[in-house]
Amino acid sequence: MNLDQNSEPSSYEKVKQILDKAAEGTTADYQGYKNFWSSLSLDKLQEISIYGVRMIAPIDESDCGDMLLSKPPESSCCSSHEDEEKEDEIDMLEKGWERIDGLSKPPYPGRGAASGLIKGLRGEFPFDGNSFQGDENREGHFPRLPWGGKEVSEKDIQFISDWIDYGCSPDDNIPDRHGAGHKGKYQINLQLTDAYKPRLKQRKNLKSLTEEEIYRLRCATLELKKLNKWPRDRRSLYSWGKLHGNVCEHGWEQFLTWHRMFLYEFEQTLQDFDETVTLPYWDWTDPDYNNGAIPKENKEFPKKPISSIIPEIYRCWINDVAIENLSKLGDEWKPVLEKLEKIKGIKFNSGVELFYMADIEGDEYYKFSPKIIEQLELINPLWYPLRYPGMFYQMNNGKFVRDKNGDPIPILKNGLQNPFHHHYPTAEDVVKILQVDNWRDFAGGPEYNQSFGVLDMDPHNTIHIWVGGYNKNFQEGNELEPFNGDMLANLTAGFDPIFWPHHVYIDRLFSIWQRNNPNQLPYNVNGALAGLGYSVRDALNIEQLGYEYAHAGHVFQIEHPKGVSVFKSDYINFDARLYQTQGLKGKVELRLHEVVQPENSFVVRVFLNSPDADMFTPATEENKFYAGCIFFWGHGRCVGGPGHCAPPPENKRDNDKRPPNHNARRNYRLDITEAVQRLSQEGVDEFQVNLVVVGPDGSDCENGFFPKAIEVVES
Amino acid sequence: MKLTYKIHPAIGIARVGDSPDEFYLSPESSEGLPIACDKQGNATLDNEGKEVTTSTFKDNDGRVKRQAARFRIYVYDDKNPQGRELKIGDQVEGITSKGTLVDIEWTVYLANKKSSWFEFKELEGEHGYAPDHPRRNADIQGQARQKLIIDPGPQTVKCSEEPRTAQFARGENSGYAQSFPPKLEPYSIETLGELKTDDNNRLIVLGGYGNSGSFKNDFGQPMISNFANNDGWFDDIADGPVMAILKFWDEVDAEMRVIQVHDPAWVIVGNPNYAPQLSNLVTLDDCLYDLYVREFAYDTYLYGTGKFESREEVDISDPKALDLWRATEKQWNSNYYPMFFKEIWPILVRPYKMQWVTDFLAISNDAHEIGPRGDFDKRKVMLPPKWVLLEDPAKITELLGQEESKLRFKKVKDDKGNESIYILEDPYREIRQFVYYALRHGGEENDFLNWTADPKYLIYGKRLMPLLCGDNPLSNTLPSKFFRLTDTQLFLLKQWADGKFINEMEEFGQKDLPEDAKTTRVDKGLEIDRGVLANVLGGSFCPGGEVGWIVRNRAIYEKPYRIKQNTDFVPNSGSGRLSGKNAFMPPALSLDDNIEKGLEPGDVTKRNALPWQADFNECATQMIDVTYREWNKVYDSGNDPGTIDRKVVETLWWPSHRPMQVYRKDGDSFKQEDWAKGIPQTYEGDFKMVSEWKRLGFLLKNGAGGLEFTEVERNED
């Protein structure tokens, strides 16, 4: 081996070292190849089978549907299509895909795990000869690899497996999965992988998404973005934008219902790629977004980065991988890369802001920005270049008024960089809008008397305009530098990924209003929703569509053979501001999922932050920790023949349309907002839920209460 | 992992003997000697605490010792995925309760239904008897037929409470309406066996004393007139379910609770094994493994629906899943590489060892020889093909010139780009192919000579192997004249012949492999299950030895190795409360089969020969008609053109089960003599065997006189 002593050995060398060390002193023949990992060339190693087992799995050629989870991007099965001119762009996208930020997704995920070598080192089938389990299965076939040698540590096996996932490169160093910043593996055990899944999917506030959820949203979005290569593929991000531009319903009673189904279909498409993904909502009234205003002390804007007015996960930033990719483009890039290096990691509201702060302006900007923008899109597929939030400039005769440096002059008002020409919607506004009590004024007028509803007109339209903004680098005839952002105009808004969280929030407000005004319907509930294949009626109930809105949800799966008599949840952190706000007040609900119908009646008392609660803990209003109670009406002794009260099957037959069996498991819900609010007023920011099960006579009650899961939902 | 309690072995084998109180324990490994024990069944231990085997098969008065079947309970849970033996004082888990194990109640129900069953007529009945198929003792009609069943009733023994013994004997089951035959000649039957528990809470099951006799007393009786069916006769062979109930103290409820084991067992009583260290060509372990592989998805890496890259999981406890698997097209995994010493060599070496129980050298001329010049030269047949680096790559041209058609080579580049050449070395392929092509395959059961091998092999037109009797060499109805290996064995040998096998010594560095046969580990439950079965005859079945063709019927199994019990005949733990435990009151034993519900006591052995000694004696050699299919051309006397002579071939049955010729001490040396000298293969001889089996010698691997196996303990009057 020609190893330069001063340099770090390549991953391939490390793989060989690990295996050589484990096999030291062994005499295994491996069908004559001896220590095949060292004796064969890398090409041969990738082809070799030992005793019928392929040591390195072949590259998976499975179909496109699997793209997100196991598909290597190079070998697309749907590649024989038109639009070859877009090839270059896509290639760039796909190469970058290997190295998005710290997320670092390998090109052949799962290839290592499917390889005989890895299975053998781990002692997995068919190398499970040493790990015989009981007598249900036959003893495994081969012993663990290396035969006769030492067991390899899981960390080293994972290293080899990663090396295979990254394409068995002869000289590269693969990223270290145990290093800092890595978040990219699906197996990470986070909340969303909880075994119990409530029936409704939750659309959450994008602020409360976990790292895993954000990662999955990005991956799924990128999958749709990759389909832009085929504009006729209706799943592509491009097609969704086009559909919105073509048939978007505004200014009359179908506004909310049409968009609800539009979101629904888009979300379903994302779920085709990853069924855990739901669309998050962006609550732009949240004080975290500064009411869209740039703070007073930053008169220099955009000379200094402004505070967050766009949610962090939708912003842009530069990273090492991007700088490395760009460095391969030639020496002329050196000065630009030095500039980028200085702003690395800072998350900007827009590309304009990023380039301004990096001092990449003028000719330099026009020359280098397209390639940099490609990288920014790869780093965060949720960012969009044609988005200039909060940026508006003085105009004269359709042209920017410029200062002596040639920069457009921002509109200022009260010492602030005014977001735009009128009022940015606030939390108080939203409360008032929700007080409107009829469909026409809230959601829009019927076809014979069309008019905008307030939700449509003000917060919806204004946020569109505010997010779109003006482009200070506008260049006549340059498609990459239009006059305004895509969100600003109806025909282009759907191309910007931030379109979705904005509209999801509108849909959330719509659903809250519907709950408060259950009798309000549009004039024509049978009207068709253009371009979507649904009628208005289909869009009226979000639960029927399989989702709900929640700020955050916490599921506790219950597995207890003897029944729950006392229950303590983990501590749940909550945002006390949600319950103090001038705007929409938070709501907390306790849910008991799929509880077995009890034979005897009992009561479940609910307390907060009372870990020692028992049947003697006062369940009255004097106890500020008391949150309420749920009554269970027992079915009593069976009055029928054998089987009459037997537990019904878990799943009904498909054609069984009867109402639920009298012993079917039931769901219960209890609003515990008041108790949480009391806690929040004392400055508490975490709570625990305590349940105490008590018989009707006040005695304790065992073996009666069998829920499948307990859930706390903040909404 | 779901907590389960299982009894091992799943199927235990006891054997009859005429010694009134001496016995040993069943061997638990292939070709193992039985385990020595005391009167309560406690295994004798050496200084290291290991169980000691015995090579003394008779007591001081020359009477054959009985073999006891020993059963133990294993617990499988997360802590013990491989299982461990359960002990009194362990924590056990019952139905919504747990506590400390205080006692194990073992219940066994032995019965003998032979006299009441259908007449054995070769393969008739394997797929259900015709309604008019004759019954044994057909002259006994109606209610009286129930008396043809020997039914001592169930017996229970405890481990912590005396008496730790119980008898399946006449008058030993108060309150139970037993059924025993009347006085018989030459030997009456007073018991089917007994139960004991040893000091480690294991169950010891003993069978009968080998008594057989007839109740007919007119002139000429008792008389044997058929190898399998003799009206008036009874023997004391038996079989039945084995169930254990765990009794534990639940501290929380301060109450005694019970739980039955999840996987109960079965016990079968058979004839003595006169050559315990010599396997049959196909053992019951081979036979059942083949069945479970093909019908119970037992090893889907070997045989499955073709997804061999990952483990094919089939939940065989789900009947629909199993049915679906059975209905799906399946195949043998062409990339299955059998282990030579574990899976191949035992099959190859068994015929060679038959020389110690039959004079086969007289007819075979070095065939099966495992040393130099033999067909089975071990040093050659154990070597798989191998890729060998050619030191001088230039030499390849020369090599290709020499034997261009056979050489297989690969060009390989190393990391520096240098090319090297590997050639495939497989000098012994021809030997392996020769052995494989000599074998009789499925569909060739009635063929004597080999017309399917490639004519270039010497084996073409020669006798197909093995040359042993099949399931029906007797009649031409449902004939199956010759024996063959199981489908699984044939597939494994095919892989071996093609060079797809692993030499464990070379690859896994296993240095201490036994010279022959399988390893003898017996610490895991499955190994006990299989080790016990490896000492039982696995074919052919006409009707067989300890068991008959019913064991090939998948319907009698709950799952691999577990016979489906008719739960009416075993106790159960009911609700788990001692008070709620259902009273155990089994119904009358049935005169018919009810396989769907499960097997009853006596249902395995009722299909065997009656008395066992008749068939045992006669299944020595058989004249097999190999020209029967040419009946219209056969003229025994004529030399007319177009006719052929009738041809019969004297064929062995199963020499290791029923030895033919053995090396017997003759002064200072040994001579090969008929093992059952003086007992002819006639009905008179069969009758003689009813008494003489006790005098016959055992075969022991003792190396006496330079011979591997010699006869010991023959009673010389």
Side-chain angles (χ1 to χ4, degrees), chain B residues 136-415:
Chain B
R136 288 169 178 162
N137 294 300
D139 54 333
I140 296 172
Q141 295 282 324
Q143 216 178 324
R145 286 198 69 81
Q146 198 71 33
K147 300 299 282 183
L148 291 170
I149 298 176
I150 308 177
D151 178 10
Q155 287 291 355
T156 299
V157 277
K158 297 177 181 177
C159 297
S160 306
E161 261 178 64
E162 295 294 341
R164 283 156 47 199
T165 177
Q167 308 289 327
F168 291 99
R170 198 192 294 268
E172 291 286 341
N173 202 335
S174 64
Y176 185 84
Q178 290 183 317
S179 167
F180 272 91
K183 190 172 173 349
L184 307 173
E185 288 293 340
Y187 302 101
S188 276
I189 293 170
E190 297 301 318
T191 181
L192 290 185
E194 59 192 290
L195 302 182
K196 296 170 188 291
T197 49
D198 76 3
D199 297 347
N200 291 312
N201 315 302
R202 297 155 173 175
L203 172 71
I204 308 293
V205 186
L206 285 157
Y209 293 108
N211 290 333
S212 303
S214 168
F215 61 78
K216 295 201 171 169
N217 51 12
D218 39 326
F219 186 74
Q221 299 288 0
M223 179 171 70
I224 285 184
S225 52
N226 185 284
F227 74 100
N229 309 298
N230 289 286
D231 287 358
W233 281 77
F234 288 87
D235 65 20
D236 60 3
I237 293 294
D239 71 276
V242 177
M243 175 56 94
I245 304 259
L246 311 178
K247 223 166 130 183
F248 60 95
W249 179 253
D250 184 325
E251 289 87 356
V252 178
D253 296 329
E255 191 181 309
M256 198 66 88
R257 303 250 186 164
V258 287
I259 176 80
Q260 74 201 64
V261 294
H262 303 89
D263 283 351
W266 202 270
V267 63
I268 294 167
V269 182
N271 55 275
N273 187 354
Y274 291 98
Q277 292 163 292
L278 284 172
S279 267
N280 291 288
L281 190 69
V282 173
T283 70
L284 187 55
D285 177 42
D286 298 327
C287 170
L288 296 191
Y289 178 67
D290 173 64
L291 175 74
Y292 303 147
V293 164
R294 288 184 297 104
E295 297 285 351
F296 286 88
Y298 190 58
D299 185 355
T300 49
Y301 186 60
L302 172 58
Y303 181 70
T305 56
K307 304 178 197 89
F308 300 118
E309 296 82 20
S310 52
R311 187 184 286 288
E312 180 188 358
E313 300 285 358
V314 184
D315 178 8
I316 64 161
S317 65
D318 173 359
K320 279 186 189 163
L322 186 56
D323 280 349
L324 179 65
W325 187 81
R326 283 172 176 171
T328 308
E329 194 177 325
K330 292 176 289 296
Q331 60 191 34
W332 299 95
N333 178 3
S334 63
N335 272 329
Y336 183 90
Y337 282 64
M339 306 287 168
F340 181 79
F341 291 96
K342 188 176 158 198
E343 295 173 277
I344 302 297
W345 185 241
I347 312 177
L348 299 181
V349 79
R350 284 171 192 163
Y352 166 75
K353 291 205 227 166
M354 295 296 171
Q355 64 179 292
W356 309 113
V357 280
T358 185
D359 184 14
F360 83 1
L361 287 181
I363 46 171
S364 70
N365 193 16
D366 271 357
H368 299 161
E369 176 56 59
I370 62 172
R373 290 191 58 240
D375 297 337
F376 291 7
D377 184 346
K378 185 175 165 192
R379 293 162 312 162
K380 294 178 180 169
V381 296
M382 68 184 232
L383 290 178
K386 160 183 308 194
W387 291 98
V388 177
L389 184 68
L390 196 61
E391 294 294 337
D392 176 13
K395 221 178 160 188
I396 189 71
T397 343
E398 191 188 328
L399 286 172
L400 282 174
Q402 283 170 3
E403 31 180 345
E404 50 199 317
S405 62
K406 286 179 190 168
L407 190 68
R408 283 180 62 199
F409 67 94
K410 278 183 189 173
K411 287 185 181 171
V412 171
K413 271 187 191 157
D414 70 10
D415 291 333

Side-chain angles (χ1 to χ4, degrees), chain B residues 647-677:
Chain B
K647 194 171 171 197
V648 287
V649 180
E650 185 179 10
T651 308
L652 291 162
W653 276 96
W654 38 49
S656 56
H657 180 72
R658 192 281 194 207
M660 292 300 303
Q661 288 86 28
V662 297
Y663 286 95
R664 180 168 290 155
K665 189 116 169 113
D666 180 29
D668 289 340
S669 62
F670 288 85
K671 65 174 180 194
Q672 213 169 10
E673 265 196 336
D674 280 351
W675 175 66
K677 196 175 172 184

Side-chain angles (χ1 to χ4, degrees), chain B residues 14-31:
Chain B
R15 296 183 184 278
V16 298
D18 62 325
S19 175
D21 49 12
E22 287 202 34
F23 63 92
Y24 45 69
L25 305 174
S26 164
E28 292 180 344
S29 62
S30 174
E31 300 191 329

Side-chain angles (χ1 to χ4, degrees), chain B residues 590-618:
Chain B
S590 169
L591 291 163
D592 293 304
D593 262 342
N594 192 354
I595 288 178
E596 209 173 326
K597 206 169 169 203
L599 297 198
E600 293 183 9
D603 274 358
V604 174
T605 55
K606 69 184 178 187
R607 300 155 214 270
N608 294 1
L610 177 62
W612 65 267
Q613 291 95 340
D615 179 62
F616 181 74
N617 182 50
E618 269 191 62

